[in-house]
């Protein structure tokens, strides 16, 4: 029996190079050896105000981006969160088990509510509980995410503990985070002290997976670096440069010291020119495949449907044992 992997991405903005390096690139490698469930977190997207038409289009666009990035719908179960009603149902049960003190500690909630003062809704607060439900419904062993999601994963594990204290063992599997050392946190291009985020209001801060080559080149060349001249990795004092070197390393397969050796006596500009080329070579084919897939909504509908059919079998089996253990009378 293969181990179960599950991960997802919130359907907001467009996928960035940070998502690709911190998430989908790893997902792609894992699809060979694990039973993987990759989903589009559209319910999570509702924690910020969404234009209904855009949300719908974006869900198709995200699916096309997943596929274009190399996630194979035959090898993996790829689905849309809201197509599996068990996510919202389990989230309620878990909400009733989670002390608010635990939610109060979530740094992402604090950050998001500071950014979003006009819309601090309860969903933003209970967001990590829905995330725990996503994970626990599938009896997940490993959750590949970027560093920013570590705290949410810890909360999910705490919630399994609360459940076991009240109802005993046997219903949920305890999941582990799977965070790769390299590229778990790609930083913003203009402001390398914060993470590259698809919800950033300044588009110069990120490279999108579907950006055209000209845009990619412009964004990489104008990335903020320090006033030094030596190309050495130093995340603290040369945050911008080190971020570019991390991207370079992950995409080219070269180690950081190989890159340092390659650029002895050269200037930051040289590295930027080469890096832009590497990013364009990586993302060019992705963009082409994406544009092709977007012409075929029927195919995307089919992928969503067959993914949901497979996911639902597993999710409904877990929810049934949860309802049973909780003392809810079984539906006839
Ligand atoms: P999100 O963009 O928040 O929906 O995240 C989707 C996935 O991408 C999660 O696994 C995140 O941890 C990962 N991720 C998002 N931004 C970055 C980043 N800047 N660097 C590395 N991983 C990221
Ligand atoms: N919160 C995650 C993010 O924004 C997306 C997500 C939702 C997720 N549910 C999940 C990731 C379950 C892993 C597992 O990155």
């Amino acid at each position: 029996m293969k181990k179960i992997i599950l991960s997802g991405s919130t359907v907001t903005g467009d996928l960035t190079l940070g998502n690709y390096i911190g998430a989908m690139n790893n997902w792609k490698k894992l699809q060979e050896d694990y039973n993987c469930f990759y989903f589009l977190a559209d319910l999570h997207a509702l924690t910020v105000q969404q234009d209904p038409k855009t949300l719908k289009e974006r869900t198709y666009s995200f699916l096309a981006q997943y596929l274009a990035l190399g996630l194979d719908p035959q090898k993996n179960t790829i689905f849309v969160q809201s197509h599996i009603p068990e996510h919202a149902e389990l989230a309620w049960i878990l909400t009733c088990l989670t002390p608010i003190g635990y939610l109060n500690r979530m740094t992402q909630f604090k950050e998001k509510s500071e950014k979003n003062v006009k819309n601090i809704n309860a969903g933003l607060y209970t967001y990590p509980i829905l995330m725990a439900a996503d994970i626990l419904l599938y009896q997940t062993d490993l959750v590949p995410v970027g560093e920013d999601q570590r705290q949410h994963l810890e909360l999910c594990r705490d919630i399994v503990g609360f459940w076991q204290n009240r109802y005993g063992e046997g219903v949920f599997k305890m999941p582990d985070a799977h965070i790769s050392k390299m590229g778990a946190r790609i930083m913003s291009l203009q402001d390398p002290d914060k993470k590259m985020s698809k919800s950033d209001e300044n588009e110069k801060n990120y490279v999108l997976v579907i950006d055209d080559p000209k845009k990619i080149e412009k964004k990489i060349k104008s990335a903020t670096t320090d006033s030094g001249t030596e190309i050495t990795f130093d995340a603290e004092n040369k945050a911008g440069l080190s971020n570019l070197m991390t991207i370079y390393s992950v995409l080219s397969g070269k180690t950081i010291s190989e890159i340092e050796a390659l650029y002895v006596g050269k200037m930051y500009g040289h590295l930027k020119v080469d890096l832009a080329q590497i990013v364009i070579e990586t993302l060019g084919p992705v963009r082409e495949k994406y544009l092709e897939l977007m012409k075929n909504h029927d195919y995307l509908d089919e992928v969503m449907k067959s993914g949901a059919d497979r996911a639902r079998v597993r999710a409904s089996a877990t929810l049934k044992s949860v309802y049973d253990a909780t003392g809810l009378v079984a539906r006839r």
Side-chain angles (χ1 to χ4, degrees), residues 6-10 19 27 39 41 44 81 108 112 127 130-132 134-135 143-146 148-149 152-153 195 198:
L6 174 134
S7 199
S9 167
T10 308
N19 292 124
W27 299 2
F39 71 100
H44 276 108
Q81 186 183 31
Q108 193 173 85
K112 285 195 177 171
Y127 177 114
L130 178 58
M131 184 163 161
D134 300 336
I135 296 166
V143 186
V145 282
D148 61 329
Q149 296 299 317
H152 291 160
L153 247 296
K195 79 160 186 173
K198 56 185 158 59

Side-chain angles (χ1 to χ4, degrees), residues 71-108:
L71 299 178
D72 182 341
Q74 305 294 333
K75 287 186 186 153
N76 308 293
T77 304
I78 299 177
F79 65 97
V80 178
Q81 186 183 31
S82 65
H83 291 180
I84 313 293
E86 283 81 358
H87 288 244
E89 292 187 61
L90 178 59
W92 174 251
I93 304 277
L94 302 181
T95 301
C96 298
L97 279 174
T98 308
I100 59 171
Y102 280 71
L103 294 178
N104 289 340
R105 287 192 216 141
M106 296 294 121
T107 52
Q108 193 173 85

